[in-house]
Amino acid sequence: PSRPSLRLSSGRLKRALEHMGETAWPRGAYLKLLDLLGHPQAAKALRHAPVLEAEQVGALAALPSVLLDTGLGGLGLSLHQARLVGEVFAALQTRDGAETAAAVGRRWAKAATARDMLGLVEDDLMPELPPPALVGTARLRPLATREAVRDAGRRYRNCLRHQVKWAATGVSIFFEWMGQPRAIVEITRDKLFGWRLEQARLEDNASVPEPTRAAICAELRSMGVHVGRTEWEVMDAIENAAEPRFVLKPVEDQIASYFTA
């Protein structure tokens, strides 16, 4: 926003000066403060601060005006957090268009805390998922969209929402096991075996019990998904196979590890 006149901002400026403490700021920080006092949402954030600091002013100034309009400045971002969010928002404007990015910014501003908001930023940075390479079955339903993965992460109370990047790049596909107990199943690309089982967990990342493990394995194999050693584990075994004390780990033990926390 353009700098307001001193006449228009004098009341706000007086209140701001009363909360600035005795340490002088750099000249540029005062100029930024004048700019922000002319912006209703930025001025509101400054008015509610118990103590005004130059870094807080710099953080608000680092946010694009579109984000200031949403009230996002009230979340108390640090200077570096604000710079990062501004860069991400500019990237989304380029990728998705100004209107879509503005809608995303309004969603960010509804977050309760800065940490929650940064989680939303992480989500929206990810592109939409490509169509699943495997269609799944009646008992293994693919999580085919970004929102479906997020929703499953909320329902299962795990870190699945942070794994969207692997699905977005086509490295992994996430499925929901529709039997009882329900579980999230991840399969991933393998250089040797193609699609293979990576892991499966219940709510709160709890281990999957038998006989559910066997049922999931059978369903995956019916889809052509490999359940067993990974390419890396095979190569590691080959490298050590010439050693006199070499013992090949039972494949059943390896499979069991995919289902246990």
Side-chain angles (χ1 to χ4, degrees), residues 9-124:
S9 63
S10 59
R12 293 174 180 174
L13 180 58
K14 180 178 181 296
R15 287 192 297 271
L17 291 173
E18 292 172 350
H19 292 81
M20 290 175 63
E22 299 180 356
T23 302
W25 293 0
R27 180 175 181 275
Y30 289 112
L31 296 178
K32 290 177 182 178
L33 175 62
L34 289 177
D35 281 341
L36 293 168
L37 289 174
H39 189 289
Q41 291 294 338
K44 180 180 178 181
L46 292 169
R47 186 168 63 250
H48 285 86
V51 178
L52 279 183
E53 298 179 351
E55 181 171 335
Q56 178 191 12
V57 170
L60 288 172
L63 292 173
S65 61
V66 176
L67 292 183
L68 285 176
D69 291 341
T70 67
L72 188 145
L75 291 175
L77 298 181
S78 71
L79 173 60
H80 293 286
Q81 288 173 334
R83 286 174 175 170
L84 176 60
V85 169
E87 288 184 19
V88 172
F89 185 75
L92 292 179
Q93 286 179 312
T94 300
R95 189 188 76 182
D96 301 332
E99 185 175 343
T100 299
V104 168
R106 290 191 292 272
R107 188 170 80 93
W108 293 352
K110 294 179 181 178
T113 66
R115 180 179 293 274
D116 292 341
M117 189 275 296
L118 291 170
L120 296 177
V121 173
E122 180 184 0
D123 287 345
D124 289 315

